[in-house]
Amino acid sequence: MKTIPVNLGIEFCGVKFSNPFILSAAPPTDDLDMLKRGLEMGWAGAVLKTTSVEKNKVELVYPMISGLSFENKKVVGMGNIDLISEHHIDLVEKRVEALKKEFGDERVIAASIMGAKKEDWQGLVKRLKAAGVDVIECSFSCPQGSMGEVPGAMLAQSVPATEMVTRWVKDAARKTPVVIKITPMVADIVAVANAVKKGGADAICASNTIPSLMGIDIENFIPNPNVAGKTTYSGLSGPAIKPITLKVISELSKTVGLPITGTGGAVNWIDALEFILCGATTVQFCTAVMHYGYDIIEDLCEGLAFYMEEKGISKVKNLIGKSLPYIVGHDDLSRKNRVTSNIDLKKCVRCGLCYYACQDGGHQAIELGRDRKPEVDEEKCFGCGLCQSACPIDGCIELKESEKPRKIAIV
Amino acid sequence: MSSKTATTLLPEERRKGFKEIHRCYEPHQAYLEASRCLMCEDAPCTQGCPAGVDIKKFIRKIRFHNLRGAIREIRKANVLAGICGRVCPQELLCQKECSNTEIDIPIDIAALQRYVADVELRRSVSPPVRQFAQKMKVAVIGSGPAGLAVAANLAQKGYEVTIFETEAKPGGLLAYGIPPHRLPPPATQKEIRYIKKMGVKIKCNTKITDIDELFKKDFKAIFISVGLPGARKIGLPGENLKGVYTALEFLKDVIENKGKTKKTRIGKRVVVIGGGDVAMDAASCALRLGAQRVDLACLEGYDEMPSSPEERRISWEEGVEIHTRVMPVRIIGSKGRVTGYKGIGIRWRKPGLFVPSNAIPIPGTEFSLKVDTVIEAIGQLPDTENVKGFKRIETAGPGYIVAKKKTFKTSRPGVFAAGDIVNRGATAVQAVADGNAAAEAIDAYLKRKSKHRVTSNQ
Ligand SMILES: Cc1cc2nc3c(=O)[nH]c(=O)nc-3n(C[C@H](O)[C@H](O)[C@H](O)COP(=O)(O)OP(=O)(O)OC[C@H]3O[C@@H](n4cnc5c(N)ncnc54)[C@H](O)[C@@H]3O)c2cc1C
Ligand SMILES: Cc1cc2nc3c(=O)[nH]c(=O)nc-3n(C[C@H](O)[C@H](O)[C@H](O)COP(=O)(O)O)c2cc1C
Ligand code: SF4
Ligand code: SF4
Ligand code: SF4
């Protein structure tokens, strides 16, 4: 096997990262010893959990986390009703100082902030700058709402407010890069991102958790998490939201043109690579770390490096946005594409799932022959791809180009 | 458990020849199995692996789509990943304490290990480059798993390692003992080629009879891993009849002749004496060579047998008739050929001690079997010629080498030993584990020695 030497290093807003993987603003970045442990293991940087000025009280409730299971899989998604850090800027600035002292330029130390008034935002920025922070990230998208005028609303749900606050922050930050963390829960995300750009930010963090109701205990009718008999809406993170994040990243990369740090649903290096292929420069992790521990960084780095070695791609930079040209509007898709389902009977286990799917959700193009052998009627098959998604065996059903025209039966 | 699973051939199919019993996972099967692993903190599986493979970590790497990382992780602790993935009695080792046992069935760790090794060897990944050449020569006697592990480790550290092997092919009992349906020879040779790529030289058809010769040829340290090539015999009346073989000669014959035999002849009705894995292998090979009935008679009760439960289950599935708690009385013959086996039931004098001297025959339980072939599989012994050639090295009993625990130093400076010849017969993975430790000790010894020489030269 031929391989080439690769370098995982990447530059983001003029700051050098030893690899594209970062700890996002969340519990794994809300304790100095934990942060040190994570950074020592190889994370390129950390965004310290969102903090605010001392007068903004943060009162947390417990329990705050609920997992989303699907069949036998735990933590397909994770809901939280956490707030920003209980630790205020006085402590966070000390953490930044300590981490910069310990790691120097080896690791990137970013900090996430949230304020109510202009003085809050600007004060936070100045204190973090003085502490030596490398990047400032602003949470405009806490699912429990921002500290603004409208209770419960996120800052990034208002285009003018987004632009105004971004400008406040950038004015104070000057040369220090500013990243705005937005929410996908808006009608027009491009408008929000453009407001971020206009406000003068250096990059976008896309995107935060999705407001959700995590499920209900049907015995007592109380939804999760049950806080003394009541609940509220959670922020959903983890694998379940990855497709949403990919959509947001690719859409913003195509239209706005600010660098992006991706967050929302990445667990392994393939997920992270997908973020990058959609246009992200770095990728942040929270749920995966909370589930499996900091040491997944080893697999992220090895996995991506091996992939690049084998692919002959020496720099992460060359991967950014590589999939964007293949994403177009629906109108621009070919109407001439004619594919049909092909079943590899050597791999097939005769479960009949494709048959079910095609009967009740497709076009009745699959018949079960003798010995439950599935057979595709090419003339009836539309090539919709449903059977392929349903088949439990990888590579058993493939969609291949077909010469045979479809026979249209209109009943 | 059902005998039909995706990766195991059905008994009928198995009996037809020497096809490998277990198929390698397809990617989706490996992924599914890996995703069952709980990835336990302080994983108990790793404590059970003699070589200390970081199992949770390598399984996590499979699950996180990092197969190259997974194999690298395994080979750090066990260079014979693919071989051990096939032959380790995992239910007695890593799998024994698997937390998943409390949920349903333990993770098939060995199958996952074999999967990543097979994928790697198929893609012909090169081993990591050696650190730097030390230009010091080390000799290894015997190319079984202990010798291969020592050699691979020392080559990685930059030593010039040569393995000397009596037989025509390297691998020790991996090449001449374990039958092809459990360990196909190409799988063994592929992994050995990988070790050669690390820079290890292997000289076959070379029996070492005098270790002083090696020291004279400028080898600075010697590692002895000659195993137990001799076969123990019971000393029964009738043992010299035609048709009586030892399991080792029979299995070697089968392997050398690719599933046929030249020196041994398997008849229609066979009895195998012994209750270990070697006995199971002999019995399953006899079935594959066309024996109509194969009986296996052993001293131990079903749960007392030293063979791995998995091997026992497999032999039983294939149709081996197992007689437990019996001992042989004599082999019956006519015109110089075997015609029967006579045995008697036993009970134990002291409970829990499963050795012949502790067995008391129960009068009235005599029985006989009509057989034309008898295979003895009751244990292996050191080669007596070796004992003579290895001068000034302390031995015990019939010629087991005495070596220190952990460092594997023998009584002679610069000579180390491990594997079956020291532990008196264990497993391949134990040989690898001991070889790993011995390599560290040899490295430390040579470093000390070269430092000493440098300073004394000044
Ligand atoms: C039939 C059978 C089935 C087994 N099944 C399993 C199993 O399923 N799982 C498992 O883990 N273990 C199994 N074992 C045990 C396992 O094979 C041994 O524990 C292991 O091979 C011991 O390794 P070793 O390196 O000490 O010696 P060996 O593998 O015995 O290798 C020693 C080598 O040294 C060579 N040699 C000896 N003297 C000299 C000399 N003077 N000069 C040069 N070369 C010499 C020999 O030719 C031989 O190749 C089985 C053993 C047998 C016999
Ligand atoms: C318990 C918890 C607390 C979080 N706290 C913050 C926070 O204080 N500030 C913030 O910007 N994001 C916060 N997040 C969001 C994460 O940083 C991350 O963007 C989100 O979980 C999506 O990524 P993931 O799928 O990798 O977890 C939090 C997430 C969780 C699960
Ligand atoms: S879903 Fe896949 S495995 Fe099942 S019958 Fe159809 S083709 Fe075969
Ligand atoms: S004990 Fe079992 S479940 Fe736990 S890490 Fe080891 S293999 Fe996985
Ligand atoms: S080497 Fe053997 S005992 Fe160790 S983990 Fe692998 S299969 Fe289990």
Side-chain angles (χ1 to χ4, degrees):
Chain A
M1 194 174 52
K2 259 187 115 155
T3 60
I4 62 153
V6 302
N7 183 349
L8 290 185
I10 186 87
E11 211 177 286
F12 177 73
C13 301
V15 181
K16 287 200 169 69
F17 289 74
S18 54
N19 62 57
F21 311 119
I22 306 167
L23 294 164
S24 78
T29 62
D30 199 16
D31 175 275
L32 188 59
D33 287 335
M34 284 168 77
L35 277 159
K36 283 188 183 165
R37 195 144 48 82
L39 292 170
E40 264 159 24
M41 282 189 193
W43 291 90
V47 185
L48 273 56
K49 186 163 163 68
T50 309
T51 188
S52 194
V53 288
E54 292 85 340
K55 67 169 192 292
N56 290 333
K57 269 227 156 58
V58 179
E59 281 184 295
L60 303 179
V61 298
Y62 297 94
M64 62 164 64
I65 307 255
S66 30
L68 172 68
S69 305
F70 181 68
E71 294 176 349
N72 68 337
K73 275 283 160 218
K74 295 275 192 178
V75 201
V76 174
M78 191 170 87
N80 81 83
I81 53 167
D82 195 9
L83 298 171
I84 63 168
S85 177
E86 284 177 297
H87 305 126
H88 289 103
I89 182 69
D90 49 341
L91 193 66
V92 172
E93 62 189 357
K94 290 205 185 82
R95 286 180 185 162
V96 171
E97 272 166 18
L99 292 171
K100 279 318 298 177
K101 194 166 154 215
E102 176 145 355
F103 295 101
D105 286 339
E106 298 287 301
R107 298 286 184 269
V108 176
I109 308 303
S112 170
I113 55 171
M114 185 193 277
K117 304 198 190 75
K118 185 175 178 185
E119 310 90 82
D120 297 353
W121 286 103
Q122 296 197 330
L124 287 164
V125 170
K126 283 181 189 140
R127 290 171 72 171
L128 285 169
K129 270 179 72 105
V133 83
D134 296 310
V135 176
I136 289 173
E137 191 177 281
C138 303
S139 174
F140 280 18
S141 51
C142 173
Q144 305 310 331
S146 305
M147 297 161 171
E149 331 288 57
V150 194
M154 301 181 215
L155 200 51
Q157 284 172 329
S158 155
V159 172
T162 297
E163 186 181 332
M164 177 179 71
V165 179
T166 304
R167 184 157 300 123
W168 293 345
V169 173
K170 188 60 200 175
D171 282 349
R174 294 168 182 238
K175 282 203 181 118
T176 306
V178 169
V179 179
I180 307 293
K181 188 166 179 178
I182 59 173
T183 173
M185 292 301 284
V186 289
D188 186 354
I189 196 154
V190 176
V192 176
N194 276 323
V196 168
K197 194 175 172 184
K198 263 195 173 153
D202 300 86
I204 297 176
C205 175
S207 43
N208 211 326
T209 50
I210 314 283
S212 305
L213 188 70
M214 292 307 294
I216 297 174
D217 181 342
I218 56 171
E219 287 306 318
N220 59 16
F221 313 116
I222 304 172
N224 308 326
N226 177 339
V227 183
K230 298 271 168 52
T231 199
T232 189
Y233 299 117
S234 291
L236 180 64
S237 61
I241 69 167
K242 183 182 92 171
I244 301 173
T245 308
L246 288 178
K247 189 251 178 193
V248 171
I249 296 175
S250 57
E251 193 173 12
L252 298 186
S253 306
K254 277 168 113 46
T255 52
V256 182
L258 277 183
I260 294 176
T261 173
T263 177
V267 174
N268 59 47
W269 67 270
I270 297 181
D271 302 328
L273 174 60
E274 288 172 318
F275 282 26
I276 294 170
L277 293 172
C278 282
T281 305
T282 59
V283 182
Q284 305 191 0
F285 289 76
C286 162
T287 305
V289 172
M290 290 176 74
H291 189 188
Y292 299 115
Y294 292 119
D295 48 357
I296 62 167
I297 183 62
E298 189 179 302
D299 292 326
L300 294 174
C301 289
E302 277 181 13
L304 182 60
F306 290 152
Y307 166 85
M308 289 166 59
E309 276 181 12
E310 287 166 31
K311 217 61 194 152
I313 296 172
S314 62
K315 290 193 188 101
V316 177
K317 207 171 82 186
N318 301 343
L319 286 162
I320 299 174
K322 238 179 148 43
S323 294
L324 292 175
Y326 309 109
I327 307 171
V328 295
H330 197 280
D331 289 348
D332 295 326
L333 294 174
S334 160
R335 262 58 192 171
K336 297 211 183 73
N337 199 35
R338 168 73 178 139
V339 293
T340 55
S341 168
N342 282 259
I343 298 176
D344 181 345
L345 289 171
K346 277 202 219 93
K347 289 186 176 159
C348 169
V349 298
R350 316 291 197 253
C351 65
L353 286 181
C354 55
Y355 171 75
Y356 259 132
C358 192
Q359 279 294 314
D360 297 359
H363 304 88
Q364 299 80 49
I366 298 180
E367 288 297 331
L368 289 188
R370 279 185 33 175
D371 305 330
R372 297 179 293 141
K373 193 154 80 177
E375 278 161 20
V376 178
D377 181 339
E378 247 188 279
E379 291 180 342
K380 278 188 178 173
C381 175
F382 279 55
C384 68
L386 177 63
C387 54
Q388 190 186 32
S389 309
C391 176
I393 310 298
D394 284 348
C396 174
I397 300 188
E398 303 225 39
L399 296 174
K400 291 189 187 150
E401 252 172 68
S402 167
E403 303 281 296
K404 270 196 194 155
R406 209 163 74 203
K407 255 207 196 126
I408 304 177
I410 298 169
V411 183
Chain B
M1 213 166 51
S2 148
S3 61
K4 173 162 170 65
T5 65
T7 51
T8 307
L9 300 186
L10 284 173
E12 302 87 83
E13 216 177 318
R14 303 205 296 253
R15 269 200 311 262
K16 282 186 212 147
F18 285 88
K19 253 202 202 155
E20 189 168 12
I21 294 179
H22 302 290
R23 298 191 192 95
C24 186
Y25 279 141
E26 292 294 325
H28 64 277
Q29 293 168 323
Y31 197 66
L32 195 67
E33 189 62 12
S35 70
R36 288 203 311 122
C37 170
L38 302 169
M39 309 208 282
C40 313
E41 169 60 27
D42 195 18
C45 45
T46 289
Q47 325 287 325
C49 169
V53 169
D54 193 336
I55 294 161
K56 153 202 173 175
K57 206 169 185 182
F58 99 71
I59 294 183
R60 190 188 72 204
K61 285 173 189 286
I62 299 176
R63 199 147 139 190
F64 287 4
H65 303 283
N66 177 10
L67 287 189
R68 268 174 73 191
I71 187 61
R72 201 162 72 173
E73 187 59 43
I74 299 169
R75 286 205 201 279
K76 261 196 238 165
N78 187 345
V79 68
L80 300 181
I83 291 168
C84 286
R86 288 175 167 84
V87 305
C88 271
Q90 61 168 341
E91 64 284 13
L92 303 175
L93 304 170
C94 52
Q95 232 187 11
K96 200 170 172 189
E97 304 277 329
C98 173
S99 314
N100 231 308
T101 316
E102 305 289 315
I103 298 175
D104 50 7
I105 49 170
I107 306 301
D108 198 339
I109 299 168
L112 286 171
Q113 175 174 310
R114 170 210 169 159
Y115 168 73
V116 279
D118 282 11
V119 169
E120 182 200 38
L121 294 174
R122 240 181 272 147
R123 298 185 350 156
S124 62
V125 173
S126 326
V129 227
R130 55 159 78 192
Q131 289 165 354
F132 51 90
Q134 311 251 18
K135 297 224 172 100
M136 257 197 274
K137 283 173 37 176
V138 179
V140 173
I141 313 174
S143 64
L148 291 169
V150 158
N153 275 290
L154 290 176
Q156 288 292 290
K157 291 180 192 295
Y159 293 96
E160 245 181 68
V161 189
T162 311
I163 305 183
F164 298 95
E165 169 58 55
T166 309
E167 300 291 343
K169 278 195 177 145
L173 289 175
L174 307 174
Y176 290 101
I178 304 181
H181 58 279
R182 290 211 293 124
L183 181 60
T188 309
Q189 295 309 324
K190 255 191 199 168
E191 214 146 46
I192 293 176
R193 268 205 297 279
Y194 180 90
I195 292 173
K196 282 191 189 162
K197 276 198 210 159
M198 292 175 163
V200 173
K201 287 193 206 104
I202 305 184
K203 284 212 168 118
C204 287
N205 301 311
T206 313
K207 181 162 183 162
I208 300 299
T209 46
D210 182 358
I211 60 170
D212 291 330
E213 289 296 317
L214 292 177
F215 277 124
K216 274 183 215 149
K217 284 185 188 146
D218 210 31
F219 286 101
K220 299 291 181 216
I222 293 169
F223 179 72
I224 305 177
S225 49
V226 290
L228 303 172
R232 201 184 277 276
K233 289 209 162 187
I234 309 172
L236 285 178
E239 218 170 42
N240 295 329
L241 290 164
K242 262 203 191 124
V244 182
Y245 308 109
T246 66
L248 282 191
E249 62 180 326
F250 167 52
L251 290 170
K252 190 172 174 201
D253 199 10
V254 174
I255 296 169
E256 277 183 324
N257 297 297
K258 302 203 164 73
K260 300 205 178 65
T261 54
K262 281 195 180 146
K263 295 182 194 126
T264 54
R265 240 199 74 226
I266 296 300
K268 295 281 167 235
R269 301 194 57 165
V270 179
V271 64
V272 177
I273 304 175
D277 284 329
V278 183
M280 297 299 151
D281 281 340
S284 58
C285 284
L287 276 178
R288 282 165 173 73
L289 286 166
Q292 275 156 9
R293 179 175 162 133
V294 176
D295 291 86
L296 184 145
C298 65
L299 211 52
E300 301 88 357
Y302 195 79
D303 292 327
E304 299 160 359
M305 289 156 82
S307 63
S308 84
E310 179 66 10
E311 290 313 309
R312 222 175 299 157
R313 191 178 65 86
I314 282 181
S315 311
W316 174 81
E317 267 183 5
E318 290 176 359
V320 175
E321 300 283 343
I322 300 180
H323 309 266
T324 55
R325 290 220 183 149
V326 294
M327 65 191 251
V329 177
R330 61 184 308 117
I331 297 168
I332 309 161
S334 143
K335 295 185 202 141
R337 276 208 71 89
V338 173
T339 57
Y341 158 100
K342 206 164 167 210
I344 187 166
I346 61 121
R347 62 189 172 81
W348 299 116
R349 185 173 292 128
K350 265 192 260 160
L353 182 64
F354 311 127
V355 295
S357 57
N358 189 37
I360 305 174
I362 308 172
T365 61
E366 294 85 356
F367 69 105
S368 51
L369 300 167
K370 243 189 169 169
V371 294
D372 49 26
T373 314
V374 175
I375 301 174
E376 290 186 63
I378 59 145
Q380 283 86 251
L381 286 171
D383 174 347
T384 40
E385 263 179 59
N386 276 346
V387 183
K388 277 183 236 144
F390 300 158
K391 285 169 222 150
R392 287 167 46 211
I393 291 172
E394 190 192 340
T395 57
Y400 300 121
I401 293 181
V402 178
K404 285 226 173 75
K405 280 207 180 88
K406 287 190 187 148
T407 62
F408 299 94
K409 280 184 186 156
T410 67
S411 56
R412 182 165 173 182
V415 182
F416 300 74
D420 280 2
I421 189 66
V422 175
N423 66 30
R424 306 184 179 193
T427 55
V429 63
Q430 188 62 52
V432 169
D434 296 350
N436 290 348
E440 290 305 317
I442 293 171
D443 181 41
Y445 165 81
L446 290 175
K447 278 197 179 127
R448 227 177 306 122
K449 209 174 140 166
S450 61
K451 219 186 268 163
H452 186 71
R453 199 180 49 203
V454 171
T455 42
S456 59
N457 280 353
Q458 282 169 347

